[in-house]
Amino acid sequence: MYSSDNVGRNTIAMVLAGGRGERLSPLTMRRAKPSVSFGGKYKIIDFVLSNLFNSGIKKVYILTQYRAYSLNKHIRESWGKWTGLGEFYVAISPETSSESEEWFKGTADAILQYLRFVESSDADYVAVFGGDHIYKMDIGQMINYHRMNRADITIAALEVPVEEAKRFGVFSVDDDSRVTAFSEKPDAPETIPGRSTCFASMGNYIFPTKKLIEVLLEGKKQHEDLDFGKHVIPMMLEKGDRVFAYNFNDNQIPGMKAEERGYWKDVGTIDSYYEANMDLIHVSPQLNLYNYKWPILTNQGNLPPAKTVFDDDDRRGQNIDSYVCAGCITSGGTVRRSIIGPLCKINSYSLVEDSILFENVNIGRHAKIRKTIIDKGVVIPDGTVIGYDHEADRRRGYTVTESGIVVVPRKDK
């Protein structure tokens, strides 16, 4: 662990939040991946923005692109209120800027298109972070590690088993964690010296401001689709720049328990998204949303408390081993091992098990829902059965994964 100080005043952040999230379809048919709900009340983007905020970094540009309206609206309504004088959380995207700008062609190209914001800042450091992962991190500790090593770039790294490393970009490092080589999804990933694990890239970077400007302008001359993993890091290694890996396992936040260390989820598929949400309802989840020393912030909304209605033997409103958000009414129905988003209603004699409901879902009477993700605003008619007969679910037009998770999308208006 590396001690942190007030890094916010000399750091700006650029958050990459323009991804389509195609593997999360149909949840991403009308919204960008960072705008997908997580844990009932949050959006995926809230996790990286909360990490920045809690780390004291409050000058943040969020680069959005694909179906950006709902994400931009969420950032404006949720994050503007948390800032003070000279602080900002601003969403910018090509579709709302000048006609001369194009869609992002790569992760580094996205920063390059808005390099004027970096150039006009008085920041010493730029944090370039992805907007679509679930984790908690004190970014100040990573910046201090970067400063200690006088690095030209510091890359956040997950320590993963060799068999998992094949899915990532993997670093070769020396005994001081200086990166000597980088390879994308290698068949034989190189392990960390003295260990049986590998360093996998998290896609999060710290740059000195001048160095970032320099490498992006140089990279632009060579690559139209400029990307950090594919182009920038190899280019810097070839030049002999000081490239360091920061071990995410060394990062500690206030109030963290031992079992929480190293928690990081890529919720890029329906299965991984479902599993990460279901982790939250365990007795002691690895991701603790009740740690008030490192809160995950979002738009709370002016909603009444959740409530249950009726207590008859055949008609009892009850939520069991579940995570239920504000504004919900469980009216004579049963909810088990599920995450219920804001403003949902579970009507009498219905059963919801092992499921995720987005905001404002209405479950009709006598309905039975199992292992299902239901998108925002969907009304499930009385007597509907979902998750018990997958062939019937497919005939209705629902997506069913190989592991048996059913996704009920929003209907076209």
Side-chain angles (χ1 to χ4, degrees):
M1 174 182 168
Y2 303 90
S3 64
S4 105
D5 55 16
N6 185 7
V7 298
R9 283 176 293 184
N10 60 358
T11 302
I12 63 167
M14 307 288 279
V15 176
L16 300 168
R20 281 175 171 267
E22 291 176 347
R23 295 177 301 156
L24 264 183
S25 183
L27 298 179
T28 50
M29 287 183 67
R30 289 180 175 81
R31 58 174 75 89
K33 179 182 173 185
S35 192
V36 173
S37 295
F38 185 87
K41 64 185 284 187
Y42 307 103
K43 307 289 187 189
I44 293 173
I45 190 74
D46 290 328
F47 286 81
V48 65
L49 297 184
S50 295
N51 287 330
L52 290 162
F53 183 91
N54 292 327
S55 301
I57 301 169
K58 300 175 185 177
K59 298 177 182 178
V60 181
Y61 294 103
I62 302 102
L63 310 189
T64 61
Q65 177 170 261
Y66 171 76
R67 296 200 178 274
Y69 174 77
S70 66
L71 181 54
N72 292 351
K73 182 173 181 285
H74 171 73
I75 291 163
R76 184 173 63 251
E77 293 178 353
S78 301
W79 287 90
K81 69 181 78 170
W82 305 119
T83 56
L85 187 63
E87 300 171 347
F88 53 85
Y89 286 79
V90 176
I92 49 177
S93 56
E95 64 185 16
T96 58
S97 57
S98 75
E99 294 180 9
S100 63
E101 285 168 337
E102 301 176 300
W103 294 90
F104 307 144
K105 298 186 178 74
T107 55
D109 178 62
I111 307 297
L112 185 62
Q113 287 200 33
Y114 293 105
L115 199 59
R116 62 186 181 274
F117 294 108
V118 176
E119 291 171 327
S120 64
S121 78
D122 58 356
D124 295 326
Y125 303 101
V126 181
V128 179
F129 273 58
D132 52 7
H133 299 113
I134 305 297
Y135 64 107
K136 291 186 177 184
M137 180 183 188
D138 182 351
I139 298 164
Q141 294 171 27
M142 181 177 172
I143 294 173
N144 283 328
Y145 175 83
H146 173 89
R147 291 161 63 180
M148 182 181 74
N149 287 304
R150 304 187 311 282
D152 293 308
I153 178 177
T154 298
I155 307 161
L158 284 172
E159 193 171 340
V160 298
V162 172
E163 54 272 18
E164 283 187 37
K166 297 175 184 179
R167 300 187 293 113
F168 295 93
V170 176
F171 307 115
S172 302
V173 297
D174 62 18
D175 291 336
D176 296 319
S177 292
R178 182 166 178 173
V179 177
T180 56
F182 178 74
S183 52
E184 284 282 1
K185 300 179 181 178
D187 292 328
E190 191 169 332
T191 58
I192 303 166
R195 306 188 199 181
S196 58
T197 51
C198 305
F199 269 155
S201 174
M202 294 170 65
N204 296 337
Y205 315 105
I206 304 295
F207 284 91
T209 304
K210 290 180 181 178
K211 174 56 73 170
L212 176 62
I213 294 168
E214 174 191 313
V215 297
L216 291 184
L217 292 177
E218 182 61 32
K220 181 183 180 181
K221 299 173 185 175
Q222 302 175 36
H223 307 283
E224 188 175 311
D225 58 341
L226 192 61
D227 186 87
F228 284 110
K230 195 189 302 183
H231 305 125
V232 172
I233 296 171
M235 195 170 73
M236 294 181 74
L237 288 170
E238 190 176 330
K239 284 181 61 181
D241 285 336
R242 295 177 62 80
V243 180
F244 281 83
Y246 172 74
N247 192 339
F248 177 55
N249 281 352
D250 291 339
N251 196 269
Q252 269 194 298
I253 62 168
M256 175 185 279
K257 297 178 182 177
E259 61 268 21
E260 298 174 56
R261 185 174 293 202
Y263 180 92
W264 182 88
K265 294 289 183 182
D266 178 1
V267 288
T269 65
I270 294 295
D271 286 335
S272 63
Y273 172 82
Y274 176 86
E275 290 164 8
N277 272 276
M278 289 295 106
D279 283 347
L280 297 174
I281 61 175
H282 293 163
V283 175
S284 298
Q286 197 177 355
L287 177 66
N288 178 17
L289 296 179
Y290 295 85
N291 176 2
Y292 302 113
K293 295 180 179 178
W294 200 270
I296 303 301
L297 305 173
T298 192
N299 186 11
Q300 300 292 333
N302 185 22
L303 300 176
K307 73 171 182 176
T308 57
V309 179
F310 299 117
D311 191 19
D312 304 325
D313 288 342
D314 64 338
R315 189 188 188 199
R316 178 170 290 119
Q318 53 187 347
N319 302 314
I320 303 162
D321 288 339
S322 295
Y323 187 104
V324 181
C325 293
C328 291
I329 302 175
T330 307
S331 177
T334 298
V335 175
R336 286 196 182 95
R337 299 179 303 276
S338 296
I339 292 180
I340 311 298
L343 296 169
C344 290
K345 187 171 185 183
I346 317 298
N347 286 291
S348 293
Y349 314 108
S350 59
L351 174 64
V352 177
E353 292 184 310
D354 304 302
S355 295
I356 301 168
L357 274 54
F358 283 20
E359 181 180 343
N360 199 27
V361 171
N362 191 306
I363 304 295
R365 288 183 164 216
H366 299 283
K368 292 176 67 179
I369 312 296
R370 183 172 70 183
K371 205 174 181 184
T372 298
I373 303 171
I374 304 179
D375 208 338
K376 178 180 178 180
V378 172
V379 176
I380 302 297
D382 294 351
T384 302
V385 177
I386 304 174
Y388 292 80
D389 181 342
H390 289 154
E391 285 307 312
D393 295 331
R394 290 188 181 95
R395 285 196 295 273
R396 289 193 188 104
Y398 303 155
T399 297
V400 182
T401 70
E402 288 187 14
S403 66
I405 300 163
V406 183
V407 183
V408 179
R410 293 161 66 181
K411 292 182 179 178
D412 292 326
K413 293 185 179 180

